[in-house]
Amino acid sequence: MKVVIAGSSGLIGTALVAALRRDGHQVSRLVRRTPAAPDEFAWDPARAQLDERALRGADAVVNLCGAGIADRRWNGGYKQLLRDSRITPTDVLATAVAATGVPTLVNASGSHYYGGETGDAIIDETSPAGTDFLATLCRDWEAATEPAAEAGARIVLLRSAVVLARNGGMLGKLHPLYWVGLGGRLGSGRQYLPWISLDDEVGAIVFALTHPEISGPINVAGPAPVTNAEFNRALGRALHRPTPFIVPGFALQALVGELADAILHGPRTIPAVLEEAGYTYQHPTIGAALAAAVGRG
């Protein structure tokens, strides 16, 4: 396949490029600077500009663009950036896919689509959208793929869980704290924490690309959901470190503001579509995923 990737320099994108090339696929990367390699093509989503050669002959476009949810404390400006960094690039790519006839668009989304007030309910891809900020963001993000869908492209929406990798994402921030014995659960610990290993995040994307019967939303999450308390204990075991601390909800709210709501509430997502399609997990349990992430698996 010839696959064009936007967001190729991030945690997931870097691993995806390597995996696709390892499997013999041709990869082109969209970059927002002057191209410096034959596989790079310039684009500027803010100006709706895209090198017309980039999508020529492509079998699929993968869009992984988006500012980090937990990179900064939320304020009005950062919340707008979270929206603009997702919806604008998606609209530009979906319009280009429609214009050029690329048959497949695989677009990032998040498990936050379902909102944070789902409690213990088991959430699959047929569950409704939530109503909080992140749920609305994910809903609008997915809706931005509509130009490609109307043109007949196959759309895959990656409702991804927290991706576990030692050198990036949430685990990259937590690892140093746990390593020195400052780990602990957040709030009551009863809230669910959707998770997936980096290997399975990439594996699921490749699986979706190479299985044309898959379309629509897919929960890219591990098959065994855990609560925050269970995650906390599993990470302590993986690092052989104690996890004695409890961060009360009010303290987390004071520390990170509105972002605390997303941390203290999470959906119990299951990957129904992936499992029905026959995807085989490399790391099917939180213990296996964390062991791999911290270099012990």
Side-chain angles (χ1 to χ4, degrees):
M1 298 178 68
K2 178 181 178 181
V3 182
V4 179
I5 301 179
S8 64
S9 62
L11 175 70
I12 298 167
T14 299
L16 178 61
V17 169
L20 287 169
R21 288 177 172 164
R22 191 165 54 243
D23 289 347
H25 302 293
Q26 179 184 347
V27 178
S28 296
R29 298 175 292 152
L30 299 181
V31 298
R32 306 189 197 200
R33 50 171 171 76
T34 301
D39 67 333
E40 295 182 347
F41 294 88
W43 79 315
D44 185 346
R47 292 185 170 89
Q49 295 176 349
L50 174 63
D51 188 328
E52 63 180 16
R53 300 170 299 166
L55 273 57
R56 192 175 297 162
D59 297 294
V61 172
V62 179
N63 175 27
L64 302 173
C65 293
I69 294 293
D71 283 359
R72 282 172 43 191
R73 186 184 178 97
W74 290 1
N75 57 26
Y78 196 67
K79 289 169 72 173
Q80 189 62 49
L81 176 63
L82 292 175
R83 289 183 59 83
D84 292 345
S85 65
R86 288 165 168 76
I87 296 170
T88 299
T90 299
D91 181 67
V92 170
L93 287 172
T95 301
V97 163
T100 57
V102 176
T104 296
L105 172 60
V106 176
N107 205 80
S109 183
S111 59
H112 296 294
Y113 174 91
Y114 304 105
E117 299 297 338
T118 54
D120 292 335
I122 294 175
I123 304 298
D124 66 14
E125 290 85 354
T126 65
S127 299
T131 58
D132 57 26
F133 168 73
L134 287 178
T136 302
L137 168 58
C138 289
R139 184 195 65 205
D140 294 346
W141 191 4
E142 294 183 3
T145 64
E146 191 60 28
E150 290 179 349
R154 175 174 71 109
I155 309 297
V156 179
L157 303 168
L158 306 169
R159 293 179 182 166
S160 293
V162 172
V163 178
L164 300 177
R166 181 171 187 169
N167 295 320
M170 183 186 75
L171 195 56
K173 294 180 174 67
L174 291 179
H175 185 273
L177 295 175
Y178 277 71
W179 187 249
V180 297
L182 296 178
R185 65 174 170 83
L186 303 176
S188 70
R190 293 191 296 270
Q191 71 273 24
Y192 276 86
L193 176 67
W195 62 271
I196 190 166
S197 72
L198 178 59
D199 290 336
D200 280 315
E201 173 79 16
V202 170
I205 296 172
V206 175
F207 188 82
L209 282 168
T210 55
H211 285 72
E213 71 277 12
I214 294 176
S215 65
I218 60 174
N219 288 343
V220 187
V226 297
T227 63
N228 178 265
E230 291 167 334
F231 172 84
N232 173 58
R233 291 193 292 270
L235 182 52
R237 286 193 296 269
L239 293 171
H240 301 296
R241 291 292 187 273
T243 58
F245 295 99
I246 299 173
V247 181
F250 70 86
L252 192 63
Q253 185 79 37
L255 183 64
V256 300
E258 188 181 350
L259 176 59
D261 291 338
I263 297 172
L264 295 172
H265 302 89
R268 186 182 181 183
T269 56
I270 60 169
V273 170
L274 282 174
E275 291 191 310
E276 184 176 345
Y279 178 72
T280 301
Y281 279 83
Q282 298 180 58
H283 306 117
T285 66
I286 189 63
L290 288 171
V294 302
R296 299 177 187 273

